[in-house]
């Protein structure tokens, strides 16, 4: 006679316990597998568990090999110097590795610091995953990279250095296509060039490199509604001087001089490779050539900022210089205007204007060369002190107060206001008393502490950082509108416009975003939560199945008993 569990017997009797243990252990093991998968950091070991280890290792080794030696290795050393303080401040897993978001964020900041260069798709305010071009471009160099799942990978410091070095090679190599087009227009494209010929060719190259198809050989034409406008070549004399300086720099590196070779400078010849080396030098040094113009623009705006709020009325902005001529719609699209500070008219946010795409003198499909971002230096100083991805509220107050002590306004030392301290404490409450260095809210707080240096951080994807050559709306303010605003500005008293007159922090937004790959305080990401929830569901389903089986056993037992009676 088969042994069954009676309904009158408690569930933990010997006849039932084996079946219960079997079902329960199955459920527990399933739960543990989900929790284990959720809590294992995606390190190199986890990559092997996910079947990606060989693919990633081989792809990264191929990238490293593609950098070669010589000048490339020197670039790697300089990259290490710049990335080291950033790396210490990145959120890392237990293996000391970072996510792809942190890697791209570091790359964006590296190029901003070293070349005033903004990578399209990498800027946090304009970040959209599908528009990031790094994987496509790197895969052209290393085809195996196309199969790497970047979103589920983790990266070491060495990975970060290789990644940035490869991006640098790609970026400064993109100008080769423009150079090829310019070279192709010559009757004898393979013939070496004289000094005069290479200068003439590179003068033409620079203009096509700056504006692409928008340059017709004479002037720049914006797309859309104002395509009939002809913008003159900006700083033409300065551009020509830059070309000649880079040609001389190549002459120096090649040791082509009269005493060594006995030839005059005019007898020197230049190959296609020489022209390529010069064009790369132009790309690397172009930003610093442009910074004097950026400084002049900022000085004009700062003189109007009598309250040191980092903002000037739009009407005053138009009157500051004839070069300030972007339309209100174009300024707003780039995140330059603050409509909350005054009901009378919008205000131009100085650091946002300085970093606006309309002030980027070069705009290619992959990057823009813009004015330098002084906030990078401020954040870099904070990173050097904190040496971690987070700091306590009191630590941050001390650090910023020390930084402000060396600055003055109207011959008075700057102090951190009580309202800004309260904002910082409120931010800390969101993250268990910690201030996350690479977050939108901290960037916003820095903007109000350093309103002339740090830009206001807009929500990701909310602004359109396109150049005047790419903007499809009205780029330039209409003369009638500008005249009206200038007349209004003339009647405006030059009274002090500070936080006592205007509530200049009305633009504050409590929306939080992480610029680097932070996780929740417990170390669980959204992916971890999903997996754990899945494990809990397995438990519930398993428990439900056990109860169903128990009920079936009870029915069988009762039926058997009725037959036996």
């Amino acid at each position: 006679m088969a042994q069954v569990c009676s309904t009158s017997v408690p569930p933990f009797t010997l006849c039932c316990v084996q079946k219960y243990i079997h079902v329960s252990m199955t459920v527990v093991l399933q739960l543990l597998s989900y929790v284990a998968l959720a809590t294992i950091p995606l390190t190199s070991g986890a990559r092997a568990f996910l079947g990606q280890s060989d693919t990633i290792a081989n792809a990264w080794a191929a990238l490293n090999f593609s950098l070669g030696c010589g000048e490339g290795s020197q670039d790697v050393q300089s990259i290490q110097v710049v990335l080291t303080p950033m790396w210490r401040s990145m959120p890392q897993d237990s293996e000391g590795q970072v996510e792809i978001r942190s890697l791209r964020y570091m790359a964006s900041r590296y190029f901003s610091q070293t070349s005033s260069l903004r990578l399209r798709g990498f800027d946090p305010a304009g970040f959209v995953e599908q528009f990031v071009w790094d994987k496509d471009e790197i895969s052209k160099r290393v085809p195996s990279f196309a199969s790497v799942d970047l979103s589920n990978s983790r990266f070491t410091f060495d990975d970060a250095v290789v990644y940035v070095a490869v991006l640098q090679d790609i970026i400064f190599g993109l100008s080769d296509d423009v150079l090829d087009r310019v070279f192709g227009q010559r009757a004898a494209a393979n013939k070496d060039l004289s000094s005069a010929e290479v200068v003439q060719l590179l003068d033409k190259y620079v203009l096509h490199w700056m504006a692409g198809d928008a340059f017709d050989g004479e002037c720049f034409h914006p797309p859309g509604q104002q395509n009939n406008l002809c913008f003159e070549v900006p700083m033409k004399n300065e551009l020509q001087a830059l070309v000649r300086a880079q040609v001389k720099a190549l002459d120096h590196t090649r040791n082509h001089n009269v005493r060594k070779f006995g030839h005059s400078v005019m007898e020197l010849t230049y190959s296609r490779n020489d022209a390529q080396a010069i064009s790369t030098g132009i790309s690397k040094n172009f930003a610093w050539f442009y910074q004097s113009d950026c400084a002049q623009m900022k000085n004009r705006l700062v003189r109007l900022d009598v309250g040191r709020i980092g903002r000037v009325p739009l009407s005053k902005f138009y009157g500051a210089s004839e070069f300030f001529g972007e339309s209100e719609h174009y300024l707003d699209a780039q995140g330059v205007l603050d409509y909350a500070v005054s009901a009378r008219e919008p205000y131009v946010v100085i650091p946002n204007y300085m970093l606006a795409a309309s002030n980027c003198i070069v705009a290619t499909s992959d990057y823009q060369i813009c004015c330098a971002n002084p906030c990078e230096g401020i954040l870099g100083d904070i990173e050097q002190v904190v040496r971690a991805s987070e700091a306590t509220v009191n630590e941050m107050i001390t650090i910023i107060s020390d930084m402000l002590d060396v600055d003055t306004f109207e011959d008075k030392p700057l102090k951190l206001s009580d309202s800004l301290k309260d904002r910082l404490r409120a931010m800390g409450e969101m993250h268990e008393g910690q201030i996350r260095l690479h977050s939108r809210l901290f960037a916003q707080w820095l903007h109000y502490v350093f309103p002339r240096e740090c830009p206001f951080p807009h929500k990701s994807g909310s602004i359109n950082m396109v150049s005047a050559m790419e903007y499809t709306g009205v780029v330039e303010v209409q003369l009638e509108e500008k005249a009206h605003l200038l007349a209004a500005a003339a009647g405006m008293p030059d009274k002090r416009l500070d936080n006592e007159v205007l509530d200049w922090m009305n633009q504050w937004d409590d929306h939080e975003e992480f610029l680097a790959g932070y996780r929740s305080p417990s170390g669980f990401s959204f992916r971890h939560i999903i997996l754990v929830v899945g494990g809990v569901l397995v438990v519930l389903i398993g428990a439900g199945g056990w109860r169903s089986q128990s009920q079936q056993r009870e029915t069988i037992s009762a039926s058997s008993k009725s037959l036996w009676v």
Side-chain angles (χ1 to χ4, degrees):
M1 183 173 62
Q3 188 180 29
V4 294
C5 296
S6 170
T7 55
S8 60
V9 180
F12 286 102
T13 54
L14 184 60
C15 67
C16 297
V17 74
Q18 289 180 333
K19 182 66 175 177
Y20 179 81
I21 290 175
H22 174 73
V23 174
S24 299
M25 286 302 294
T26 301
V27 172
V28 170
L29 288 173
Q30 288 175 321
L31 172 61
L32 289 176
S33 67
Y34 274 98
V35 173
L37 180 60
T39 55
I40 292 175
L42 290 178
T43 61
S44 56
R47 290 174 185 167
F49 176 76
L50 296 175
Q52 296 188 56
S53 178
D54 292 341
T55 301
I56 294 175
N58 292 338
W60 231 259
L63 282 181
N64 199 359
F65 181 77
S66 71
L67 293 174
C69 302
E71 183 178 350
S73 63
Q74 294 174 4
D75 286 343
V76 167
Q77 293 175 6
S78 63
I79 291 170
Q80 289 173 335
V81 172
V82 177
L83 291 187
T84 295
M86 286 189 215
W87 180 265
R88 294 194 189 109
S89 73
M90 286 297 116
Q92 301 173 15
D93 62 19
S94 60
E95 298 290 330
Q97 298 177 331
V98 302
E99 299 177 1
I100 184 60
R101 188 174 188 87
S102 297
L103 202 65
R104 286 171 172 154
Y105 173 62
M106 290 174 64
S108 174
R109 291 186 57 204
Y110 169 83
F111 288 105
S112 176
Q113 289 183 18
T114 59
S115 305
S116 291
L117 190 149
R118 181 162 58 221
L119 304 184
R120 291 185 186 264
F122 286 66
D123 188 66
F127 178 82
V128 181
E129 179 71 26
Q130 59 266 33
F131 294 151
V132 179
W133 50 264
D134 54 350
K135 187 172 182 178
D136 290 340
E137 289 293 338
I138 293 175
S139 297
K140 294 176 183 177
R141 174 179 290 213
V142 179
S144 61
F145 199 82
S147 60
V148 174
D149 183 4
L150 294 177
S151 61
N152 285 321
S153 301
R154 297 295 181 268
F155 307 93
T156 65
F157 176 73
D158 289 340
D159 292 338
V161 172
V162 170
Y163 174 75
V164 170
V166 171
L167 287 184
Q168 184 167 265
D169 276 3
I170 291 171
I171 288 167
F172 295 132
L174 290 173
S175 57
D176 289 351
D177 293 338
V178 180
L179 193 63
D180 286 339
R181 290 200 300 270
V182 175
F183 253 84
Q185 296 172 6
R186 296 170 56 239
N190 296 324
K191 183 181 177 181
D192 285 351
L193 302 167
S194 67
S195 179
E197 288 173 332
V198 77
V199 166
Q200 183 181 17
L201 182 143
L202 289 170
D203 281 343
K204 189 175 182 180
Y205 154 80
V206 167
L207 299 178
H208 284 282
W209 171 63
M210 287 174 58
D213 295 335
F215 180 63
D216 65 359
E218 296 294 334
C219 56
F220 297 155
H221 294 280
Q225 301 178 37
Q226 293 184 308
N227 183 258
N228 60 325
L229 293 179
C230 177
F231 290 102
E232 294 182 358
V233 176
M235 302 179 297
K236 186 173 182 178
N237 293 334
E238 291 87 345
L239 290 171
Q240 291 176 346
L242 175 64
V243 168
R244 284 148 185 78
Q246 292 300 314
V247 172
K248 289 182 179 179
L250 179 66
D251 291 342
H252 178 73
T253 58
R254 295 193 312 176
N255 291 321
H256 278 171
N257 54 62
V258 175
R259 285 182 297 178
K260 185 168 184 177
F261 293 99
H263 301 298
S264 70
V265 175
M266 295 304 295
E267 292 175 342
L268 296 176
T269 59
Y270 300 83
S271 66
R272 168 66 175 77
N273 290 338
D274 292 333
Q276 181 180 358
I278 296 170
S279 67
T280 299
I282 291 172
S283 301
K284 289 184 176 181
N285 295 285
F286 201 82
W288 312 124
F289 147 81
Y290 181 49
Q291 291 314 309
S292 61
D293 292 81
C294 294
Q296 291 179 17
M297 284 192 292
K298 184 173 181 178
N299 289 338
R300 290 177 182 271
L301 295 176
V302 166
R303 284 198 292 267
L304 298 175
D305 181 24
V306 294
R308 202 184 184 281
I309 62 174
R311 287 156 170 74
V312 298
L314 182 61
S315 56
K316 295 282 188 181
F317 166 80
Y318 284 133
S321 170
E322 61 180 359
F323 297 106
F324 297 153
E326 297 95 330
S327 69
E328 180 179 342
H329 289 292
Y330 185 33
L331 292 172
D332 186 38
Q334 299 178 91
V336 169
L337 299 180
D338 180 355
Y339 287 91
V341 69
S342 172
R344 182 175 53 194
E345 65 174 317
Y347 274 55
V348 172
V349 183
I350 293 176
N352 287 68
Y353 177 73
M354 295 307 304
L355 297 175
S358 58
N359 288 322
C360 296
I361 194 168
V362 174
T364 73
S365 59
D366 296 303
Y367 64 88
Q368 299 167 324
I369 295 180
C370 312
C371 293
N373 182 1
C375 199
E376 275 295 333
I378 293 172
L379 182 57
D381 289 343
I382 296 172
E383 288 174 324
Q384 291 281 9
V385 177
V386 176
R387 299 171 72 91
S389 63
E390 300 175 333
T392 66
V393 172
N394 289 336
E395 287 172 342
M396 191 58 65
I397 289 176
T398 300
I399 292 169
I400 300 300
S401 296
D402 289 343
M403 294 174 68
L404 290 175
D405 281 344
V406 300
D407 201 357
T408 60
F409 176 59
E410 294 184 346
D411 298 326
K412 297 178 182 178
L414 294 176
K415 298 294 182 183
L416 197 59
S417 68
D418 290 338
S419 62
L420 283 171
K421 291 179 182 178
D422 290 340
R423 296 272 188 180
L424 193 68
R425 294 187 183 100
M427 289 161 50
E429 291 175 359
M430 297 176 61
H431 305 302
E432 297 188 345
Q434 297 293 312
I435 301 300
R436 296 188 166 180
L437 269 61
H438 309 295
S439 64
R440 183 195 166 274
L441 281 181
F442 184 61
Q444 182 176 236
W445 188 78
L446 284 180
H447 164 69
Y448 285 105
V449 177
F450 303 98
R452 292 176 174 175
E453 291 79 20
C454 294
F456 180 88
H458 293 275
K459 300 175 185 177
S460 60
S462 63
I463 60 176
N464 190 13
M465 299 294 279
V466 294
S467 70
M469 298 300 111
E470 301 163 317
Y471 187 62
T472 56
V474 176
V475 173
E476 194 170 15
V477 63
Q478 301 297 319
L479 293 178
E480 297 80 5
E481 181 183 358
K482 187 173 184 178
H484 173 73
L485 290 170
L486 290 176
M492 185 186 302
D494 289 328
K495 61 183 179 180
R496 180 181 178 86
L497 298 174
D498 59 10
N499 54 346
E500 296 177 359
V501 178
L502 301 172
D503 189 357
W504 68 290
M505 290 185 66
N506 270 353
Q507 198 178 12
W508 182 279
D509 187 342
D510 286 324
H511 174 76
E512 179 65 298
E513 293 177 5
F514 295 139
L515 311 180
Y518 286 95
R519 298 184 182 184
S520 62
S522 63
F524 278 64
S525 65
F526 180 74
R527 168 183 172 275
H528 291 75
I529 294 172
I530 291 296
L531 291 173
V532 171
V533 169
V536 172
L537 290 175
V538 170
V539 172
L540 295 176
I541 293 171
W546 180 83
R547 284 195 296 270
S548 176
Q549 291 176 356
S550 177
Q551 291 172 356
Q552 290 176 2
R553 287 194 299 270
E554 291 173 0
T555 303
I556 294 172
S557 176
S559 301
S560 300
K561 288 173 67 176
S562 65
L563 290 174
W564 294 339
V565 171

